[in-house]
Amino acid sequence: MSWWKEKRTYRYLFLVLLMSLIIYFLYLVRQLFLPFILAIVLVYLLNPLVGRMEKRGSQRVAAILILYLGVIIVVTSLLMYGVPRMVNQLETLVESIPVYTDQVEGIVRNVQQRFADSTMPPGVHQIVDERIRWAELRLLEVVRNVMDFLLALLANLFNFALAPVLAFYIMKDLEHLKKWGISQVPREWTEDVLYLAKEIDHVFASFIRGHLTVVFIVGVLTSLAFIFIGLEFATMLGIIAGLAELIPYFGPLIGAVPAVALALLQSKWLALKVIIAVFVIQQLEGTVISPKILGNSVGLHPLAIIIALLAGGHLFGIAGMLLAVPLAAIARILVSFTWAKLNSP
């Protein structure tokens, strides 16, 4: 019988068509991915604790609800302490913006005047003026992006509220979902699919649990350090520095820039203290915290991580930099697996 008349050929064609339709549907509803991504993060964070409680005799649903209650209590406590403090700091920042703007404009005018009075050739003057204007535009763009990000957070409140609901149902039926997924895989592929799923799961688990733990520790240490040295907006800047830890290598620099800039507007001595504090915390993070918590969690060479970060940032901005490392690690797993299969006897 010819290959195009075999039932297997039509089965494969049907699967290809089905997968194409699913991918196209996911592309159409890509704006709805956020609650599912947040739900997966919650599952990776909470499911190990649910498993431990189950081993001690708790029902799975009861264990999930108890954990949710604990999370609600902790988050509410943090919000009751943190939100008023953050609101006060934001109000102070809004009131201080005109003062800081005048200071920055004064610095820019100073720099421009010095270059105007210098004996540099006209061509160099023009290049310097263009670079100063470029820096001003980039600064305005950064401020605009920050405001857009804050507005986007407010616009996605429903997605944030939906994520715990999705996470609850995923954790509740996780074992059934796993069994159903395995049952859909052809028997001859089961071993390979289980291996790949295990490796990818390890990457996601290490990245989500490990990096969020590092984010929390660095954020707390940075906030306390900034409060100790008397920096304004210490809590807010500490949170920014902590979240920046999600971006390897470049994150600490990105997180330190706002703190150093604000400190410079107050005094050079305060800026020096901020730089020293950030340096000490980063040394602690690099030599003690991350090696203990993360280890070599993604199995990538530092050069590969840097290339992935640059590519992700160039293509998709901050979101691309956040997702670059785990996606690159998954790509490494798939390429290594495929290469091993192609070279196996």
Side-chain angles (χ1 to χ4, degrees):
M1 184 184 293
S2 302
W3 65 270
W4 62 83
K5 295 182 179 180
E6 292 183 4
K7 187 180 291 186
R8 180 185 298 179
T9 302
Y10 291 105
R11 190 186 307 134
Y12 286 151
L13 289 174
F14 171 75
L15 289 174
V16 169
L17 177 63
L18 181 62
M19 289 300 298
S20 301
L21 290 173
I22 291 173
I23 292 171
Y24 180 64
F25 173 75
L26 292 175
Y27 171 76
L28 292 177
V29 299
R30 61 191 182 278
Q31 301 297 332
L32 304 177
F33 282 0
L34 181 60
F36 288 95
I37 293 172
L38 295 174
I40 290 170
V41 171
L42 281 175
V43 170
Y44 271 104
L45 290 174
L46 299 180
N47 193 60
L49 297 175
V50 173
R52 291 178 187 176
M53 294 174 70
E54 263 195 307
K55 289 179 181 178
R56 294 182 179 180
S58 298
Q59 294 291 326
R60 187 166 186 83
V61 173
I64 296 171
L65 292 176
I66 290 170
L67 275 177
Y68 268 37
L69 179 61
V71 170
I72 290 171
I73 292 172
V74 171
V75 170
T76 303
S77 302
L78 290 173
L79 289 177
M80 289 178 64
Y81 169 77
V83 169
R85 193 179 185 90
M86 289 287 292
V87 169
N88 290 335
Q89 291 190 359
L90 285 172
E91 288 178 352
T92 307
L93 179 60
V94 170
E95 293 171 359
S96 304
I97 282 176
V99 178
Y100 290 145
T101 303
D102 290 341
Q103 290 182 6
V104 171
E105 287 178 352
I107 292 170
V108 171
R109 284 196 299 268
N110 234 352
V111 171
Q112 289 176 330
Q113 188 61 45
R114 287 185 181 181
F115 280 115
D117 295 339
S118 66
T119 56
M120 287 189 300
V124 177
H125 266 301
Q126 182 181 351
I127 293 172
V128 171
D129 288 337
E130 289 174 356
R131 291 297 91 190
I132 290 174
R133 284 194 292 272
W134 177 87
E136 291 174 352
L137 291 173
R138 294 289 80 76
L139 182 59
L140 289 173
E141 186 180 339
V142 168
V143 173
R144 194 178 297 114
N145 288 337
V146 170
M147 296 303 297
D148 289 343
F149 176 74
L150 293 175
L151 292 174
L153 287 180
L154 292 174
N156 283 289
L157 284 178
F158 174 75
N159 290 330
F160 289 120
L162 183 60
V165 178
L166 295 174
F168 172 82
Y169 286 106
I170 292 173
M171 285 190 286
K172 174 179 172 291
D173 297 320
L174 188 58
E175 294 303 319
H176 296 295
L177 291 172
K178 287 180 180 179
K179 290 177 182 177
W180 177 83
I182 293 171
S183 67
Q184 303 306 304
V185 178
R187 191 181 300 274
E188 61 271 18
W189 296 354
T190 302
E191 185 178 348
D192 292 339
V193 170
L194 287 176
Y195 169 78
L196 288 174
K198 183 179 178 182
E199 291 294 311
I200 292 172
D201 176 70
H202 173 71
V203 168
F204 273 123
S206 300
F207 186 80
I208 293 173
R209 295 172 197 152
H211 281 76
L212 287 182
T213 303
V214 172
V215 163
F216 177 77
I217 294 173
V218 171
V220 170
L221 289 177
T222 306
S223 297
L224 292 175
F226 288 169
I227 291 171
F228 178 75
I229 64 179
L231 181 65
E232 288 186 309
F233 321 116
T235 304
M236 186 169 57
L237 293 170
I239 291 172
I240 293 172
L243 291 174
E245 287 293 321
L246 288 171
I247 303 173
Y249 300 113
F250 304 110
L253 179 61
I254 294 172
V257 167
V260 175
L262 281 175
L264 269 173
L265 294 175
Q266 297 176 51
S267 74
K268 294 179 181 178
W269 172 237
L270 183 60
L272 178 61
K273 289 194 287 186
V274 168
I275 292 171
I276 293 172
V278 170
F279 177 78
V280 170
I281 291 171
Q282 288 308 314
Q283 290 303 306
L284 185 63
E285 183 268 333
T287 57
V288 179
I289 299 172
S290 287
K292 290 287 185 183
I293 296 175
L294 298 177
N296 190 18
S297 59
V298 295
L300 290 173
H301 191 277
L303 181 60
I305 293 176
I306 292 173
I307 293 172
L309 288 170
L310 293 174
H314 176 71
L315 294 173
F316 304 107
I318 296 295
M321 295 184 78
L322 291 174
L323 296 174
V325 175
L327 292 180
I330 292 171
R332 178 193 63 81
I333 291 169
L334 295 175
V335 169
S336 299
F337 175 81
T338 305
W339 183 256
K341 281 293 180 181
L342 292 174
N343 286 281
S344 61

